[in-house]
Amino acid sequence: MATPPPPVEKLLHELQVHQIELEMQNEQLRQLQVELEDSHNGYVDLYDFAPVGYLTLNHKGMIEEINLTGAAMFGDERGKLTQRPFAAFVAPVDSDQWHLHFQSLLKHDNKLTYELQLLHNNSTSFYAQLDCLRINKVEGAPVVRVTLADITERKQAEAEKSIGSTTFMMQESMLITDSEGVILRVNPAFTECTGYAPEEVIGKTPRLLQSGHHNADFYHEMRETLKCKGNWRGEIWNQHKNGETYPKLLTITTIKNHQGIVTHYVGSHIDISERLAAENEIKNLAFYDPLTHLPNRRLLLDRFKQALIYSARSGRQGAVLFIDLDNFKKLNDTLGHGIGDLLLQQVSERLESCVREGDTVARLGGDEFVVLLTDLNEQAIEAATQTKTIGNKILLALSQPYLLATHICHSTPSIGATLFNDVGQGAEELFKQADIAMYQAKKNGRCNLCFFDPEMQLLITAHVALESDLRHAITEKKQLVLYYQPQVDLHGHLVGVEALLRWQHPERGLIYPGDFIPLAEESGLILPLGYWVLTTACYQLLSWMSHPDKKHLTMAVNVSAKQFNLPTFVDEVLTLIDQTGIDPTKLKLEITESMMLNNVENIISNMNIMKKHGINFSMDDFGTGYSSLQYLKSLPLDQLKIDQSFVRDLSTNINNQAIVRTIIAMAKNLDMNIIAEGVETEEQRQLLINNGCTIFQGYLFGRPMPIEQFDAPLLTSQFHHC
Ligand code: C2E
Ligand code: MG
Ligand code: MG
């Protein structure tokens, strides 16, 4: 059965009893406070040993009184603290905040709570919460009662929490150790980067990440820097859990407590493998040839300088070998650059297999390689023998067939060598010597090794001097002369001339084109030279236009490949025709078969444009080059010129007779006329006529001659040779 509820009277009575008890308690409390207020001295322990600091400040902020807890917080005797400004104990960072709050307390708020960083007497700092209450006095200025609670621990915990959460959210790999370097925490990025899960590293030291790339000094210096500066930053190689090593940029920061004692180390790092890889790539590009990965010219020069110094110090000889592949250009042109590249790569591998570890194989570009041999015998003769042995080894290795994609190819090198043992010899000078020797090797018939010979250098020097003379000749122009050689028909009638260049050298006399055209081609001087020839020839045609005996003459002008490939060439020719007003059909440009090796399409299109304007074309030295019927058909040629080498021994050489016959038949088939050059005898002329040749040029009809001689009236009759 349920108990019946207590009667209402009973409840009312209990309530009254409670109220009376409460009033009594309040009264006791009041009494206690009054007693405390009244007699400070009597309750000194309660005031002085309270868990918080109490202090009273006057309106100027001077400490008027302070309890012992407060004095302990500031680390000084109470007697020494009174009458000192409270501001003196506020840390500089919070000084402004203190002044603002204090002023506001005096003027506006009567109660304020805030947090400040205060200074302990020994200058370490602590955080405190201040509860301030302004007490207005009936007389005089107000005072401020302050309760001080040390909240350093709470603050530190908060800071740690915030540091921890921000850092641990970062992408950077992080670890935190205690002051002894024992790992306390790691973040997920750390696990990702090192392969170690937190439980595998916590309690251990970061030593387990060491790769062995750095020595004890490195770590010692790191510890010293940490001690002095509080942090360390640098590149370091670490080891992944899987054993791989990787570079990283590590920052270690020391965490100290408010007493300046190291409590933790925080290490953060970023993986710099990619950056280092990019740096290496840049380095590779700067010092290595991208195709063969061999050192390039720059690195070679650097190694060469070291080799010179070593050689001078040790007395041991060194050698430079210049290697050029014979006919590389032809292979490149016929099989394409991809195959050319494969050849270069295989050549570099073979070269490296021919030398010792300390020697250098470099690629200068194109098909030019250099081998730098060091530490050879001290005697030049011995060193030369050693060099020759290695050179022959290279000749043999590079002459073996190459499998390039699906092609089996053959290539041979030409090697020039020079010895060195004197630091006074400049690198460039030695390179030049080896280069000269290499050209000599080429001249000697390729697949050859040649040592540098000072006499050869004299020739080269003369060559260089000739080039500068030629440059001068072109600008001065007075030294250049055109000679004209007659071309006659079956009846010996003069039908035209070939313009042949001569150089009237002030000291060396008349120089023939064979001695300076190759030089002009090599140096590019052929362009201004060729233009001069063309201009002079056109003006000569102009002057014959008014001459009844000569206005029918054609003018054959030799044009070099370089000139013909010049983008402005067609314009130059057409402009000259315009300027002079000559009949374009009288101008005959002589081209050679070798011209057809490159840019055939460009040449054909240039020829077609000029052909449309009436200009004629003759294929010079026909039969000596690589003629292909294919292009011969597509060229707008008017004439084939049988090379003089076939004419020379025509009467005795049956082969040449057959060749001449074929050329003539071919010309007829292709609807071209035919001219033979180098006709010196009547027998040659007759044989040519018998085979169907109709035009002739050669000493039999006249040598190349200056214009004055050509224009002399009595000469014309000479050509009537029937
Ligand atoms: P080319 O065009 O084949 O000229 C013919 C060469 O044969 C000329 O030599 C000429 O003097 C020579 N010759 C002519 N008839 C006879 C003969 O009956 N017997 C012998 N043994 N030789 C004869 P040259 O004048 O020394 O010219 C040599 C080459 O120089 C020319 O060969 C031509 O390729 C080049 N050349 C000459 N002038 C120029 C020019 O203005 N520009 C260019 N690019 N090359 C030129
Ligand atoms: Mg010619
Ligand atoms: Mg010729």
Side-chain angles (χ1 to χ4, degrees):
M1 243 173 86
T3 348
V8 176
E9 298 89 274
K10 194 177 173 228
L11 284 175
L12 273 174
H13 174 75
E14 276 179 12
L15 190 65
Q16 277 168 357
V17 170
H18 273 307
Q19 277 175 343
I20 291 163
E21 275 176 2
L22 208 64
E23 267 176 30
M24 276 174 67
Q25 276 176 14
N26 281 345
E27 182 52 38
Q28 275 173 355
L29 211 61
R30 221 174 291 131
Q31 196 63 40
L32 222 64
Q33 277 181 1
V34 169
E35 279 169 17
L36 188 67
E37 292 268 315
D38 278 359
S39 53
H40 240 161
N41 294 337
Y43 294 90
V44 70
D45 49 347
L46 205 55
Y47 171 71
D48 273 340
F49 297 107
V52 291
Y54 290 123
L55 48 101
T56 307
L57 305 177
N58 70 11
H59 69 287
K60 289 182 179 158
M62 308 294 266
I63 301 172
E64 284 196 334
E65 55 169 20
I66 183 164
N67 73 345
L68 287 182
T69 312
M73 281 174 165
F74 293 125
D76 217 337
E77 287 168 31
R78 186 188 349 231
K80 289 189 181 162
L81 291 169
T82 45
Q83 293 315 312
R84 283 188 64 188
F86 181 78
F89 297 95
V90 177
V93 280
D94 282 346
S95 178
D96 289 347
Q97 198 196 352
W98 161 252
H99 286 294
L100 276 174
H101 283 315
F102 193 66
Q103 289 310 312
S104 149
L105 200 62
L106 290 179
K107 289 177 191 150
H108 314 294
D109 311 297
N110 64 342
K111 211 172 165 202
L112 265 183
T113 297
Y114 51 91
E115 290 169 0
L116 284 183
Q117 208 176 333
L118 299 180
L119 296 172
H120 191 265
N121 220 7
N122 64 11
S123 80
T124 57
S125 65
F126 65 98
Y127 285 95
Q129 179 176 309
L130 279 71
D131 289 296
C132 306
L133 180 68
R134 186 183 69 216
I135 312 273
N136 292 324
K137 298 247 174 100
V138 186
E139 273 179 33
V143 292
V144 173
R145 290 260 159 84
V146 182
T147 307
L148 275 182
D150 188 335
I151 54 163
T152 306
E153 272 180 28
R154 192 193 88 207
K155 277 283 192 194
Q156 247 169 14
E158 276 173 13
E160 271 173 27
K161 211 170 141 198
S162 103
I163 292 170
S165 55
T166 17
T167 50
F168 271 70
M169 269 163 51
M170 289 174 31
Q171 296 293 311
E172 283 183 27
S173 166
M174 306 207 62
L175 66 79
I176 298 179
T177 74
D178 65 11
S179 56
E180 298 302 312
V182 175
I183 300 172
L184 301 175
R185 280 177 77 184
V186 295
N187 69 349
F190 174 91
T191 303
E192 200 179 308
C193 181
T194 63
Y196 288 106
E199 59 275 17
E200 292 175 293
V201 289
I202 288 173
K204 301 193 174 141
T205 67
R207 250 173 246 126
L208 97 160
L209 301 172
Q210 286 181 8
S211 62
H213 278 234
H214 310 282
N215 57 19
D217 287 350
F218 177 85
Y219 293 105
H220 175 76
E221 202 216 299
M222 179 198 279
R223 280 192 297 273
E224 285 303 303
T225 312
L226 269 175
K227 227 190 263 173
C228 308
K229 289 190 179 167
N231 58 58
W232 182 90
R233 189 179 164 88
E235 286 178 17
I236 187 168
W237 282 80
N238 270 2
Q239 189 167 30
H240 191 274
K241 191 181 165 189
N242 65 14
E244 277 176 24
T245 55
Y246 59 93
K248 65 183 196 175
L249 182 65
L250 174 65
T251 308
I252 306 178
T253 312
T254 313
I255 308 284
K256 292 180 180 169
N257 67 8
H258 65 281
Q259 285 147 332
I261 295 164
V262 175
T263 57
H264 301 93
Y265 293 104
V266 178
S268 67
H269 73 246
I270 39 174
D271 190 339
I272 50 168
S273 326
E274 275 181 28
R275 202 197 76 201
L276 282 193
E279 277 174 13
N280 276 340
E281 180 69 23
I282 291 168
K283 208 160 110 195
N284 272 342
L285 284 175
F287 293 109
Y288 292 90
D289 164 46
L291 177 70
T292 60
H293 305 297
L294 291 178
N296 62 11
R297 177 185 280 271
R298 204 162 143 196
L299 185 54
L300 174 70
L301 274 172
D302 203 52
R303 298 234 176 121
F304 200 18
K305 279 176 195 151
Q306 306 290 336
L308 278 169
I309 294 167
Y310 171 76
S311 173
R313 199 187 312 130
S314 64
R316 307 199 50 100
Q317 302 264 345
V320 189
L321 279 80
F322 248 65
I323 301 158
D324 188 275
L325 305 182
D326 305 327
N327 298 325
F328 175 72
K329 194 171 158 357
K330 209 163 134 193
L331 178 127
N332 232 358
D333 290 342
T334 48
L335 295 178
H337 289 259
I339 299 289
D341 284 355
L342 287 178
L343 176 71
L344 294 174
Q345 281 167 339
Q346 291 189 21
V347 163
S348 54
E349 280 163 21
R350 291 186 192 183
L351 279 175
E352 281 191 305
S353 71
C354 291
V355 300
R356 294 166 306 173
E357 194 131 298
D359 300 329
T360 299
V361 178
R363 180 177 172 225
L364 294 191
D367 58 342
E368 286 183 346
F369 294 86
V370 169
V371 169
L372 181 65
L373 303 176
T374 51
D375 221 5
L376 299 174
N377 198 286
E378 290 171 14
Q379 302 301 318
I381 300 278
E382 288 294 319
T385 312
Q386 287 174 309
T387 308
K388 202 165 176 187
T389 308
I390 298 172
N392 285 335
K393 202 170 151 192
I394 293 174
L395 281 175
L396 188 69
L398 299 197
S399 308
Q400 302 306 312
Y402 295 82
L403 177 64
L404 309 172
T406 54
H407 306 269
I408 293 182
C409 300
H410 293 268
S411 173
T412 52
S414 293
I415 308 176
T418 193
L419 295 177
F420 63 85
N421 74 335
D422 178 5
V423 82
Q425 290 169 287
E428 288 296 345
E429 184 196 327
L430 287 163
F431 271 28
K432 211 164 154 193
Q433 290 184 357
D435 201 22
I436 290 170
M438 193 271 292
Y439 273 101
Q440 191 56 42
K442 275 213 188 296
K443 267 195 171 165
N444 291 358
R446 296 162 188 250
C447 197
N448 243 302
L449 168 72
C450 248
F451 275 85
F452 170 70
D453 166 8
E455 270 180 33
M456 201 173 16
Q457 195 167 30
L458 287 179
L459 281 177
I460 304 280
T461 316
H463 188 78
V464 172
L466 196 67
E467 185 185 319
S468 96
D469 284 357
L470 183 59
R471 208 172 283 279
H472 177 74
I474 290 166
T475 42
E476 284 296 307
K477 299 205 177 90
K478 278 176 213 130
Q479 295 177 23
L480 298 175
V481 195
L482 272 193
Y483 273 39
Y484 301 92
Q485 186 176 30
Q487 296 180 336
V488 300
D489 65 10
L490 279 173
H491 315 290
H493 292 141
L494 184 66
V495 290
V497 296
E498 177 177 8
L500 292 160
L501 183 59
R502 302 288 180 262
W503 176 11
Q504 189 63 56
H505 193 280
E507 286 126 37
R508 299 173 58 178
L510 195 67
I511 306 181
Y512 286 85
D515 293 331
F516 67 89
I517 293 275
L519 177 69
E521 297 255 12
E522 214 176 277
S523 59
L525 289 173
I526 192 72
L527 299 176
L529 202 62
Y531 185 69
W532 179 86
V533 170
L534 206 59
T535 315
T536 313
C538 285
Y539 278 94
Q540 191 53 57
L541 274 178
L542 172 66
S543 84
W544 286 338
M545 268 170 67
S546 52
H547 209 290
D549 287 348
K550 297 207 175 93
K551 63 180 183 192
H552 68 287
L553 296 181
T554 58
M555 171 78 74
V557 176
N558 295 286
V559 180
S560 95
K562 268 205 176 137
Q563 216 182 334
F564 212 98
N565 277 314
L566 206 66
T568 51
F569 181 67
V570 175
D571 268 359
E572 275 173 15
V573 176
L574 296 180
T575 313
L576 263 174
I577 289 172
D578 246 24
Q579 268 174 12
T580 52
I582 55 165
D583 173 5
T585 62
K586 298 286 177 279
L587 184 63
K588 184 162 62 182
L589 300 183
E590 285 196 7
I591 59 170
T592 55
E593 288 168 294
S594 59
M595 211 184 254
M596 298 301 145
L597 288 176
N598 289 310
N599 293 329
V600 189
E601 270 118 63
N602 183 46
I603 290 171
I604 296 178
S605 97
N606 280 353
M607 283 173 80
N608 279 324
I609 300 171
M610 291 188 274
K611 182 78 214 161
K612 273 195 195 122
H613 285 80
I615 296 163
N616 288 314
F617 293 97
S618 177
M619 181 64 92
D620 201 359
D621 305 341
F622 191 71
T624 57
Y626 311 87
S627 293
S628 119
L629 262 182
Q630 189 56 37
Y631 76 70
L632 214 54
K633 272 197 317 198
S634 53
L635 297 180
L637 285 172
D638 301 276
Q639 186 176 64
L640 292 187
K641 193 170 191 181
I642 305 173
D643 188 65
Q644 50 181 292
S645 61
F646 303 116
V647 177
R648 200 171 298 135
D649 50 0
L650 197 58
S651 47
T652 52
N653 189 325
I654 308 168
N655 276 345
N656 282 355
Q657 287 175 15
I659 291 172
V660 166
R661 249 197 315 277
T662 316
I663 295 175
I664 296 171
M666 200 175 352
K668 289 210 166 125
N669 263 331
L670 293 167
D671 204 19
M672 297 172 194
N673 67 53
I674 192 103
I675 179 170
E677 67 176 0
V679 184
E680 293 185 354
T681 65
E682 179 53 34
E683 196 183 5
Q684 287 166 345
R685 188 183 84 102
Q686 207 51 57
L687 276 167
L688 287 162
I689 293 175
N690 294 348
N691 282 303
C693 184
T694 50
I695 312 172
F696 311 87
Q697 179 183 339
Y699 294 169
L700 182 64
F701 316 99
R703 291 187 172 247
M705 59 195 97
I707 192 64
E708 304 77 31
Q709 195 180 336
F710 186 85
D711 280 344
L714 48 82
L715 249 153
T716 325
S717 61
Q718 278 186 4
F719 308 130
H720 295 279
H721 185 94
C722 299

